[in-house]
Each structure stands twice: as structure tokens, then as C-alpha cells.
Amino acid sequence: MVLYDNIRWEEKAIYETCRKNGINSTSIDAKSMVVPLDGRSAYEGTVVIQRCVSYFKSIHSTAALEGLGARVINSLKSASLSGNKLFAHMALEKAGVKTPRAVSAFSEESALQALEELGYPAVIKPTVGSWGRLIALLKDKEAARAVIEDREHMFPLYHVYYFEEFVKRPPRDIRAIVVGDRVVAAIYRYSGEGEWKTNMALGGRAEACPITSELESICIRASKALGGEIVGVDLMESDSKGLLVHEVNNTTEFKNTVRVTGVDIPGLMIEYAIAAGKK
């Protein structure tokens, strides 16, 4: 079963892979799903590939289905940690995986104080969010004050401040796709014209990245630190610290990775899910 809340290229590719191979699978929109939480479960033993983009739909639907006996990929632990940048940072730190220096604060005043300690320029990120939305480069205190004042008028979740150091690096980052215990493909993602962020949604471009033993080792450790099984690991090549993991995506996009590398990622995902259901 594939659970989604937004049909992207990836969800269509997974569905088509199942259809072409005669694999019995259903695709369900989480927004139309009703889950009785008590009594006998129709989900007992069902393998679910969780593809909800919404952090909150993902963790709550995963919690419900796992509680009813389904085998969800990725697990509630993975969804909870990966989908929250502060939680993920702490898990990576605990596992000894190098990640950008970060600091958190919980009020307007302490946020500005935290930035003085971290130093400018710095990057503000929402703890929960994707596609580079609401991520901003803070070049100085005036810019920081303006952004933080805006956040104070937003939903309370945005009053939890999460800042990262601005990492000096080439104008690209790396996305590596992990399936189980191996990295199956990786790409460089280059920033688009006039952009410092590397998100493909912002006009960046991609090219194949070699999978070195160092890259694979870091990605597998990052995935395991967050309880991941099928994840996308994003890394930066710091001029001074080497490879830094800056994000792990539990419902990762892989359209550009398939296009550039030719690796059949949907097929590998289905293969992994079928094997997981037999254990």
C-alpha cells in the first residue's frame, strides 16, 4: 500500500512500477482515509510505503497504522525525527554524524542573542517544512530582526527558532538516496541563477555524483541515526569540515536522481518493501 497526500512524479512512478510487475498494491490518499483506531485491524501485516508530504499527516497516519499492526516504511520514529530539523540535528549529533553548527531559541529576544553567539551570516529554518520554504539567509542583525519580527506573528510553531551556520561550500549540495543498507544513487544539486539554495524546485540543476565509500558510510550512519529505511540524505561539502549532513528526508523526492543517474529507484523501493513484508 502506498499512502500519499499529494501525488508527485514519485508516487506515480511507484504505482507504475507495481502495475508493470503485477504487484498487488493500492494507493490511498490520506486525506480520504478513515482509520478505526480500536478493535480488529484490516491493516495487520500490511506493508505501507509512507509518502505523505505533510509532516503532521505523515506522523499521525504512521502512528495509527503502526498501532494497528502495519509495517510502515519509514517508521514513526523516522518520520518524527526526519521531519523536524531540530530533532534530526540532535539525533545526528548523538550518532556522531557531522552536521552544520546550530542553535535554537524560543523567544524573539533569545533568538537575537543566539545569533550573536552563532555569528552572521546565518540561516534560519522552520523546524518543520520542505522545498526550501521559509528558509532565509540572515546577513546581519537588521535582517535577522526583520525576519524574527515577522515570525512572531505566525503560527506558534514558528516561534521555535532554529538557526544554522552558513556553510562555505561550492554552489551545490549532494542528495543521496538510501535504500536499506546502501546508497543506490546520488546527485549534485546546483543552485539556480541568483539562488543560494539548491532545491530543484527553485530552478537548480542536477548531475550524477559518484558514490564514494566516505559518502556511503556517512549516509548509512545518518539514515540509521534517524531510524530510516528509504531516505534521501542531503549533504554539503564544507570548505573546512568536509561532508556535512544537513537534512534527511523520509519521503524523499527522487525524480531528478532517476533522470540523471538512470537508477530504477522505484523498483528498488518496491523490492525492499516486499522483502520487509516477508520478515
Side-chain angles (χ1 to χ4, degrees):
M1 170 178 148
V2 179
L3 186 64
Y4 64 90
D5 62 351
N6 186 2
I7 295 185
R8 299 167 290 180
W9 181 92
E10 287 78 4
E11 286 70 44
K12 292 177 183 173
I14 294 169
Y15 172 80
E16 279 301 312
T17 299
C18 289
R19 189 186 63 78
K20 287 177 182 174
N21 291 283
I23 297 166
N24 183 25
S25 176
T26 54
S27 295
I28 296 180
D29 186 342
K31 299 190 292 296
S32 64
M33 188 169 66
V34 176
V35 186
L37 301 177
D38 307 299
R40 191 173 176 180
S41 168
Y43 297 100
E44 182 74 41
T46 301
V47 177
V48 179
I49 297 179
Q50 174 61 268
R51 295 292 306 170
C52 286
V53 176
S54 159
Y55 174 70
F56 296 104
K57 286 188 177 73
S58 174
I59 59 171
H60 288 89
S61 59
T62 299
L65 295 174
E66 279 190 353
L68 293 169
R71 172 73 164 86
V72 185
I73 303 168
N74 292 290
S75 68
L76 176 59
K77 174 187 175 184
S78 178
S80 302
L81 293 177
S82 303
N84 184 301
K85 293 177 179 62
L86 191 156
F87 296 172
H89 180 89
M90 300 315 299
L92 292 171
E93 279 281 327
K94 189 175 181 180
V97 177
K98 288 196 293 183
T99 187
R101 271 194 314 134
V103 61
S104 190
F106 304 94
S107 72
E108 184 175 354
E109 295 75 18
S110 61
L112 289 168
Q113 181 186 335
L115 282 166
E116 289 297 326
E117 295 173 12
L118 184 64
Y120 294 98
V123 178
I124 182 171
K125 296 183 174 182
T127 53
V128 174
S130 54
W131 296 326
R133 291 172 178 161
L134 293 177
I135 293 177
L137 180 62
L138 308 175
K139 294 184 178 178
D140 53 38
K141 190 172 183 177
E142 277 197 29
R145 191 186 297 280
V147 170
I148 291 168
E149 282 180 2
D150 277 350
R151 298 287 169 99
E152 285 294 307
H153 297 286
M154 297 169 71
F155 189 73
L157 180 63
Y158 298 105
H159 304 171
V160 175
Y161 293 98
Y162 177 80
F163 304 107
E164 283 183 0
E165 65 173 324
F166 179 71
V167 175
K168 291 184 179 176
R169 56 174 172 79
R172 67 185 188 188
D173 75 352
I174 297 170
R175 167 155 294 179
I177 304 297
V178 176
V179 178
D181 290 329
R182 64 190 182 108
V183 174
V184 299
I187 57 170
Y188 291 118
R189 303 187 305 178
Y190 288 84
S191 307
E193 185 72 29
E195 269 288 345
W196 63 277
K197 291 182 274 189
T198 55
N199 304 71
M200 293 292 97
L202 299 175
R205 64 179 177 85
E207 66 180 44
C209 170
I211 303 171
T212 64
S213 56
E214 180 191 19
L215 177 68
E216 182 150 58
S217 172
I218 292 171
C219 292
I220 297 302
R221 286 169 54 216
S223 177
K224 289 188 182 302
L226 275 63
E229 295 179 88
I230 299 174
V231 297
V233 180
D234 296 345
L235 308 96
M236 290 188 280
E237 303 157 280
S238 165
D239 292 348
S240 58
K241 300 177 186 174
L243 291 173
L244 303 178
V245 174
H246 65 95
E247 198 160 330
V248 177
N249 303 276
N250 64 303
T251 58
T252 187
E253 294 180 337
F254 48 82
K255 174 183 176 182
N256 287 298
T257 310
V258 170
R259 177 177 60 81
V260 169
T261 67
V263 175
D264 179 16
I265 293 171
L268 293 169
M269 291 174 66
I270 296 299
E271 188 179 293
Y272 180 89
I274 290 173
K278 293 177 179 175
K279 291 180 181 175

